[in-house]
Amino acid sequence: MADVMAPEGLEDRLEEYRTELTGYCYRMLGSAFEAEDAVQDTMVRAWRAIDRFEGRSSLRSWLYRIATNVCMDALNAGNRRARPMDLTAPTPVAQAQLTARPEVTWLEPVPDGRVLPQTSDPAEAALARESVRLAFVAALQHLPAKQRAVLILREVLAWKASEVAELLETSVASVNSALQRARATLAASEPAKTDAANPLDEEQRDLLNRYVAAFEAYDMAALTALLHEDATLSMPPFDLWLRGHDDIVGWMLGVGEVCRGSRLVPTVANGTPAFAHYHPDPEGGFSPWALMVIEIEDGKVSGITSFLDVKRWFPLFDLPERLEG
């Protein structure tokens, strides 16, 4: 254990686990910023307690135990992050009003690189991306904290029941019971499916290229053809959300008309395609407007989530502060 216990090189050893721990904490907490804070807290606690690490488990398991405790403490505050569709019914466009809720209400987007460790296993990579999708992370938020941890550790990270039991200081039977209850809860409100999109296949690339062309041209007929009939549009921090391409287009030709002439720059978020949405600036060029996360199902766009707090999201995603005309 000398290589783990020795202060020299310890920081590098801890840093090896930062990305996967951030992914774990993000799934637990639903917030990119809270996840990074939780991992930093984990690293500080590990550094301070390394002389008490006896090596009965691996360094990785020990760090996950600390991270789990940090997340449990945060979740005991009672806040559960959500999407607009978790809080309200869809609103017909004729009755649509923008009502903002506090930042702590909302499930947050996250850059793939912050939460998805590199792997050469395509199946493992696909599972990891699936498990950070907005719909899946939102579904996790419905679970009690212990069930949430058990489900993530068992079904996302593929830990053995005995390993999870040791981490949570409980029995294998308790772990299996928690997993069963968690599965039942998720099955009762199964997250919407999203087509795998990394790497994008030719059909998906074509769909997204046509989406950009239609949006930038503000061609609503072309856009309608790309949307599922029951596609959704939401715009955190507002609790309004719309269902159906008719209402989405109605919104874009009404209040959303301010987006005419915008530009979209591709990025990725939560394992799915996304765009940095830049709005025409009266002083010239284009200024940040939204981080637009796209979900695709059966060859059409099934969900658009436009996160409007660009002062938080654009720096997190390393996006340009503005575009020139």
Side-chain angles (χ1 to χ4, degrees):
M1 291 308 299
D3 61 328
V4 173
M5 301 291 287
E8 58 271 16
L10 175 59
E11 185 174 355
D12 290 341
R13 291 292 306 275
L14 296 178
E15 284 299 318
E16 290 176 16
Y17 300 102
R18 182 175 291 275
T19 301
E20 64 173 283
L21 286 170
T22 304
Y24 174 61
C25 293
Y26 174 72
R27 296 176 184 100
M28 287 289 290
L29 302 173
S31 163
F33 293 105
E34 288 183 5
E36 293 194 342
D37 288 346
V39 172
Q40 191 58 34
D41 191 1
T42 297
M43 297 299 187
V44 170
R45 293 190 191 189
W47 182 272
R48 290 174 176 169
I50 194 64
D51 60 334
R52 299 196 298 275
F53 175 55
E54 299 176 354
R56 286 195 294 260
S57 62
S58 69
L59 179 62
R60 179 174 183 253
S61 297
W62 186 61
L63 289 172
Y64 269 89
R65 175 178 292 183
I66 299 172
T68 299
N69 290 334
V70 171
C71 290
M72 294 288 194
D73 289 344
L75 292 170
N76 284 338
N79 182 53
R80 175 174 69 84
R81 290 182 177 265
R83 299 174 303 162
M85 48 279 293
D86 300 318
L87 302 177
T88 64
T91 304
V93 68
Q95 301 170 20
Q97 295 182 340
L98 292 176
T99 304
R101 297 201 189 191
E103 174 271 322
V104 295
T105 305
W106 302 115
L107 181 70
E108 296 180 351
V110 70
D112 286 11
R114 300 279 184 123
V115 295
L116 299 180
Q118 293 185 346
T119 175
S120 58
D121 184 336
E124 184 179 324
L127 174 60
R129 288 193 300 272
E130 174 71 17
S131 70
V132 295
R133 287 194 305 113
L134 289 173
F136 183 78
V137 179
L140 289 176
Q141 307 307 300
H142 291 276
L143 300 175
K146 180 181 176 181
Q147 291 182 28
R148 199 180 307 181
V150 168
L151 184 86
I152 296 167
L153 290 166
R154 290 281 286 120
E155 303 217 324
V156 176
L157 301 178
W159 285 38
K160 297 176 182 177
S162 58
E163 294 172 327
V164 178
E166 182 180 357
L167 181 146
L168 296 176
E169 298 181 336
T170 188
S171 66
V172 169
S174 176
V175 167
N176 289 336
S177 176
L179 179 59
Q180 186 176 16
R181 293 196 302 274
R183 285 171 172 168
T185 299
L186 289 190
S189 55
E190 188 174 358
K193 298 295 183 183
T194 303
D195 292 350
N198 189 1
L200 296 168
D201 62 29
E202 185 176 351
E203 182 181 358
Q204 290 168 334
R205 287 195 298 270
D206 179 64
L207 172 67
L208 292 170
N209 286 337
R210 287 186 290 138
Y211 178 85
V212 170
F215 193 93
E216 292 188 346
Y218 230 65
D219 183 339
M220 292 300 108
L223 189 66
T224 298
L226 304 177
L227 298 175
H228 270 283
E229 186 176 349
D230 59 351
T232 61
L233 169 66
S234 59
M235 296 161 283
F238 299 111
D239 59 14
L240 170 74
W241 67 284
L242 304 166
R243 185 195 296 278
H245 54 54
D246 289 341
D247 274 354
I248 293 173
V249 168
W251 172 264
M252 294 183 69
L253 291 176
V255 176
E257 181 76 21
V258 294
C259 292
R260 187 182 291 273
S262 293
R263 295 289 180 267
L264 301 182
V265 174
T267 183
V268 289
N270 293 81
T272 59
F275 296 100
H277 175 184
Y278 292 86
H279 191 266
D281 191 323
E283 297 182 3
F286 300 85
S287 56
W289 186 259
L291 177 72
M292 181 186 290
V293 182
I294 303 294
E295 293 174 287
I296 299 171
E297 184 180 0
D298 297 331
K300 288 193 173 184
V301 173
S302 59
I304 305 167
T305 307
S306 288
F307 292 94
L308 300 178
D309 190 356
V310 293
K311 290 183 179 179
R312 288 166 63 80
W313 308 129
F314 275 48
L316 181 67
F317 281 78
D318 295 323
L319 294 165
E321 293 182 6
R322 60 181 292 106
L323 299 180
E324 299 306 320

